[in-house]
Amino acid sequence: EHLVREPEFVTAFLDLPPSEIDDQIFTELLKIMMRALEHHPEYADLHYHCSCIFHRLDQTEQAIRESQQALEINPRYLNALIHLGKLYMKTNQDDQAIQRLKAAVAGGANFADVHYLLGNLYRRQGSLDNARVHYHRALKINDQFQAARQALVEMAA
């Protein structure tokens, strides 16, 4: 019940830098999260946080499944859309990643880092015009975004 009332508790753990005891910490946190899900399977936040914990434990397939569940409950859940996009990107499911990240942008997540990810995905697919568009959008939002600037320089070379 504490996790339901205080989602920042889980976020605080997820914000910790990687360490040697991650497996211990996040395995225990996952057990607690699974108990919370038993009582509240309809809470998208719990599924999203569970996905983040699975990701931290390097269990990508389970992380994808939980993000998908969060989005079935709340299709406009921006953090889950972005997270699932990153997971799809990690597993080379580029079309699905693009779909999720574009949905996040359409839903209001017009963030430089999301456009940068889209640029990377399009670049990886060889769609350089689309990549440039998203790198430029990232720079329009944050003109100090060096990774986007560097990507454009590399593409020009």
Side-chain angles (χ1 to χ4, degrees):
E1 290 303 315
H2 181 72
L3 296 180
V4 172
R5 289 189 313 274
E6 303 290 336
E8 298 84 22
F9 179 78
V10 178
T11 304
F13 277 99
L14 292 167
D15 287 342
L16 292 172
S19 74
E20 296 173 4
I21 59 170
D22 269 12
D23 281 350
Q24 294 166 303
I25 292 172
F26 289 100
T27 297
E28 291 304 313
L29 188 57
L30 182 61
K31 289 177 187 175
I32 297 166
M33 183 64 66
M34 296 307 267
R35 283 201 314 259
L37 276 169
E38 286 175 12
H39 296 286
H40 301 286
E42 74 282 6
Y43 285 18
D45 280 347
L46 292 176
H47 287 283
Y48 166 70
H49 283 122
C50 192
S51 174
C52 293
I53 294 167
F54 275 126
H55 181 243
R56 188 75 181 246
L57 290 168
D58 203 27
Q59 296 179 27
T60 307
E61 291 304 315
Q62 294 90 333
I64 288 171
R65 189 172 53 248
E66 289 297 330
S67 281
Q68 290 170 335
Q69 184 63 39
L71 289 168
E72 284 181 28
I73 296 166
N74 180 359
R76 295 184 184 145
Y77 194 157
L78 295 180
N79 286 339
L81 283 166
I82 294 167
H83 184 66
L84 185 56
K86 290 177 182 178
L87 291 168
Y88 281 146
M89 189 174 182
K90 179 180 179 180
T91 57
N92 297 314
Q93 298 177 66
D94 292 355
D95 290 336
Q96 294 91 333
I98 289 169
Q99 180 184 7
R100 294 306 187 274
L101 293 173
K102 286 176 72 173
V105 170
N110 191 30
F111 307 134
D113 60 327
V114 175
H115 285 290
Y116 174 72
L117 292 172
L118 282 164
N120 288 343
L121 285 159
Y122 281 121
R123 184 175 174 192
R124 192 157 78 182
Q125 289 188 330
S127 181
L128 301 183
D129 289 339
N130 282 330
R132 280 186 200 90
V133 165
H134 285 284
Y135 290 141
H136 282 292
R137 285 182 185 162
L139 287 167
K140 186 175 181 181
I141 294 165
N142 176 359
D143 65 353
Q144 301 301 311
F145 199 145
Q146 292 304 314
R149 189 172 312 285
Q150 182 61 35
L152 285 169
V153 168
E154 290 170 5
M155 287 177 61

